Amino acid sequence: MLLVATPEEMRKCDSYAIDNLGIPGLLLMENASQGVIQSILMKYGGVSGKRAFVFCGGGNNGGDGLAVARKLFGMKADVYVFLLVEPDKLRGDARTNYEIALKIHEKKGKAGIFEIITLSDVKELDKYPKPDLVIDAIFGTGFKGKVEGLFYDVISWINSTRAYTVSIDIPSGLNGETGEVENIAVRADLTATMGLPKTGLMLNMGKILPGKIYIIDIGIPNFVYDAIGIKTYYLELPDVKKRLPVRPFNAHKYSCGKIFALVGSPGLTGAATMSTLSAMRVGAGAVIAGVPKSLSPVLEMKLTEVMKLPLPETEEHTIGWDALDLIEEYIEWADVLIIGPGLSKNYETKQVILNVIKKLNKKAVIDADGLNAIIGNLNILKSLHNEIVLTPHPGEFSRLTNLPVDKIERERIKVARDFATEYGVVLVLKGDTTVIANPEGEVFINSTGNPGMATAGSGDVLTGMIAGLMGQGLSAVDAAICGVYLHGLAGDIARDKLGELPMMAMDILNSIPDAIQKVMKEEKG
């Protein structure tokens, strides 16, 4: 599983390597620059005779750029280094690499072009021939906020050029933790990132701007990452394949997961349909849908394989208080519960659901109106000793926590981790990049899915998939990992068949078998 770090965590790793292991910072910088060169050779090709512009800021990222410039020159490229700060502002290892570069410039003779220019106005670039290759070493991963002045002008110039652009560690202007861009950032063809990929490369604009990502081993031993306590991971296909359940030869329907779903209300029978069918599509052996009795005839038409349990209902034809004894009987039958899809916001129904959750002694996936029922009562989650998965989208999570939606989107890894550890649940925080957090503080970033999945019912399909996988014996977190990845992969398959605009949730559900086959065959999806 691919480990991912925030900029602050990576800074701590660098410091640990330097202070506790005695690895010189200059050696780390040299390893970094060599890795950038390797990534260029692999993704771009040879540089002999090519014209390279290297843009350097004042920090260690600029020092990396200076070291890369030296190596490009050694490979017979024509190199123009543009400093965006005065040389006297360079410090430490960056200053050392500047002084080396300066001596090369002074002593190269007729060996080739190696120029060092302190840039004060972007218009000065017009004096030079157009580059074939641009190296972005302006800001490091710690950059936050707006890009201003000369830096803004240079990034605009880089984005306007047709040259192949390589960003060192992260595209300048991109927030290394959140993937946000305040106003402008480099659009790279290749990003060579140091040690571990940064969370900002996986979120928001960080999914678009870096181009191809190349991870560079700069010489920090793996145990350092454990010592620092990094617990964020990026999910890839092999991570899912090894977790998927394998059906034994002597399996029968009741050994493959018994799911009881409290779902449905007038106008929302689709949620009941998709959540229960998707549980069966991932392999659950038996699913019973507990629904308001007046809706049972409708669902008899929609659901063939799913059994229906008509329940006493309210005047609004939602699940009523008198259903509680029957619900508790079927909870005892089930291995896993689905609570929420399409239940409505009826007050009496909410009280039924709240009562069920308070007494819960089985694994459960809580979504939609199940989440609405526990608003203001989150502490009941702390008293549950079984595995619980919550699957909110940012709006639902905002109502649960009173956090603003923009903060949730900006800090989704942190807020998901904090909630899961505080309440002892597995949290699936849905969105354009869904993250999964467990009570141990681990966070898993999903790598599948596409904008076409932003369609009504998509979340209901995910809820059923996670429950179906839990019913087959997977832990809550493993079921969430597999369910989220397969859900996104099914969406990608549906997109490839239909395009993003025509996609509906049933297209995702119908693509689940193909997604499972892709994973089992280890094909890239």
Side-chain angles (χ1 to χ4, degrees):
M1 193 173 292
L2 182 61
L3 204 58
V4 181
T6 65
E8 177 60 18
E9 287 171 335
M10 200 65 229
R11 186 196 64 76
K12 289 179 179 179
C13 292
D14 290 344
S15 297
Y16 188 103
I18 294 167
D19 299 336
N20 295 71
L21 304 181
I23 301 174
L26 195 61
L27 177 59
L28 296 178
M29 189 171 285
E30 195 69 9
N31 291 344
S33 65
Q34 187 58 42
V36 174
I37 293 296
Q38 289 173 352
S39 72
I40 292 170
L41 293 176
M42 287 182 64
K43 304 298 183 181
Y44 173 73
V47 298
S48 178
K50 301 294 185 180
R51 189 177 300 113
F53 282 17
V54 183
F55 294 95
C56 297
N60 280 341
N61 199 247
D64 291 337
L66 286 160
V68 168
R70 165 170 37 96
K71 289 179 166 61
L72 289 172
F73 179 67
M75 298 168 68
K76 298 184 179 179
D78 294 333
V79 178
Y80 297 80
V81 177
F82 296 98
L83 293 179
L84 306 188
V85 298
E86 293 297 324
D88 59 6
K89 292 186 177 179
L90 296 171
R91 297 286 185 271
D93 298 330
R95 180 72 192 187
T96 300
N97 269 306
Y98 170 72
E99 290 173 352
I100 295 170
L102 200 59
K103 289 177 181 176
I104 292 173
H105 169 70
E106 292 170 350
K107 299 180 181 296
K108 64 180 175 58
K110 297 181 180 180
I113 297 174
F114 189 81
E115 299 295 326
I116 304 176
I117 303 104
T118 301
L119 198 67
S120 58
D121 191 317
V122 73
K123 294 179 182 178
E124 296 174 29
L125 294 173
D126 294 337
K127 298 188 298 185
Y128 300 93
K130 298 294 184 184
D132 303 300
L133 182 66
V134 167
I135 307 298
D136 159 31
I138 302 171
F139 300 132
T141 57
F143 174 83
K144 297 178 181 179
K146 289 186 175 181
V147 180
E148 297 178 337
L150 177 62
F151 300 104
Y152 183 99
D153 294 339
V154 168
I155 291 176
S156 295
W157 186 92
I158 291 172
N159 287 344
S160 70
T161 185
R162 294 184 178 181
Y164 190 88
T165 300
V166 179
S167 287
I168 296 180
D169 220 0
I170 198 164
S172 292
L174 182 68
N175 185 305
E177 182 172 359
T178 68
E180 291 182 304
V181 175
E182 289 277 341
N183 57 343
I184 195 171
V186 170
R187 293 193 300 267
D189 296 293
L190 170 66
T191 296
T193 195
M194 312 306 166
L196 297 176
K198 313 308 177 291
T199 53
L201 296 173
M202 312 295 177
L203 304 169
N204 300 310
M205 292 300 291
K207 297 169 69 175
I208 300 170
L209 294 174
K212 296 175 182 176
I213 296 174
Y214 187 93
I215 302 169
I216 296 171
D217 180 359
I218 61 173
I220 296 176
N222 286 335
F223 75 83
V224 173
Y225 304 139
D226 292 332
I228 298 302
I230 299 174
K231 292 184 176 182
T232 307
Y233 306 88
Y234 186 67
L235 294 180
E236 297 177 297
L237 188 148
D239 304 319
V240 176
K241 180 177 181 181
K242 69 182 181 182
R243 287 174 166 80
L244 281 180
V246 177
R247 186 161 291 189
F249 75 94
N250 60 346
H252 56 83
K253 64 182 179 182
Y254 292 137
S255 69
C256 297
K258 303 189 296 292
I259 314 298
F260 180 48
L262 289 171
V263 290
S265 62
L268 296 173
T269 57
T273 300
M274 288 182 284
S275 59
T276 53
L277 283 179
S278 59
M280 298 205 75
R281 269 296 182 205
V282 295
V287 178
I288 296 176
V291 299
K293 64 181 180 181
S294 62
L295 298 185
S296 186
V298 176
L299 289 168
E300 289 289 354
M301 301 294 293
K302 285 176 171 281
L303 298 172
T304 302
E305 294 88 348
V306 175
M307 294 175 278
K308 278 67 64 180
L309 175 68
L311 294 171
E313 60 185 29
T314 67
E315 291 181 358
E316 295 179 359
H317 304 292
T318 64
I319 294 174
W321 188 260
D322 290 341
L324 199 53
D325 288 344
L326 194 52
I327 288 171
E328 290 177 351
E329 178 183 335
Y330 276 83
I331 288 174
E332 289 306 310
W333 167 85
D335 299 313
V336 179
L337 269 66
I338 294 173
I339 304 174
L343 280 176
S344 86
K345 294 181 175 62
N346 177 278
Y347 177 78
E348 185 176 330
T349 304
K350 279 187 179 181
Q351 296 308 305
V352 173
I353 298 310
L354 190 58
N355 190 281
V356 167
I357 294 173
K358 283 180 178 178
K359 297 178 179 179
L360 208 52
N361 62 353
K362 295 289 178 73
K363 298 178 180 181
V365 182
I366 305 175
D367 184 31
D369 292 321
L371 298 171
N372 290 329
I374 60 173
I375 291 173
N377 294 280
L378 288 181
N379 281 334
I380 66 173
L381 297 173
K382 296 180 180 180
S383 64
L384 303 178
H385 302 294
N386 42 299
E387 293 186 300
I388 305 294
V389 180
L390 273 57
T391 59
H393 57 59
E396 291 166 337
F397 193 64
S398 178
R399 292 193 289 274
L400 279 175
T401 61
N402 290 320
L403 294 173
V405 170
D406 62 346
K407 179 180 175 67
I408 293 167
E409 293 287 23
R410 187 173 61 251
E411 302 177 18
R412 58 176 36 239
I413 292 175
K414 181 180 185 304
V415 298
R417 176 180 279 127
D418 290 348
F419 187 93
T421 54
E422 179 176 357
Y423 292 102
V425 298
V426 171
L427 182 75
V428 175
L429 182 54
K430 297 181 290 194
D432 66 278
T433 303
T434 296
V435 300
I436 303 143
N438 69 10
E440 289 71 44
E442 295 176 316
V443 176
F444 306 87
I445 304 171
N446 189 40
S447 60
T448 58
N450 63 82
M453 299 176 71
T455 183
S458 177
D460 300 315
V461 174
L462 175 61
T463 295
M465 292 176 73
I466 295 171
L469 290 164
M470 287 175 71
Q472 295 171 78
L474 267 62
S475 69
V477 68
D478 283 349
I481 285 170
C482 293
V484 167
Y485 185 94
L486 288 170
H487 180 253
L489 183 55
D492 291 341
I493 292 168
R495 174 204 57 199
D496 293 343
K497 292 178 181 177
L498 304 169
E500 289 182 353
L501 294 181
M503 277 176 60
M504 297 188 298
M506 286 300 293
D507 299 318
I508 301 170
L509 195 158
N510 291 334
S511 298
I512 291 171
D514 290 336
I516 293 173
Q517 286 301 306
K518 267 188 181 291
V519 170
M520 296 309 293
K521 293 177 181 178
E522 294 194 54
E523 296 175 6
K524 298 294 182 181

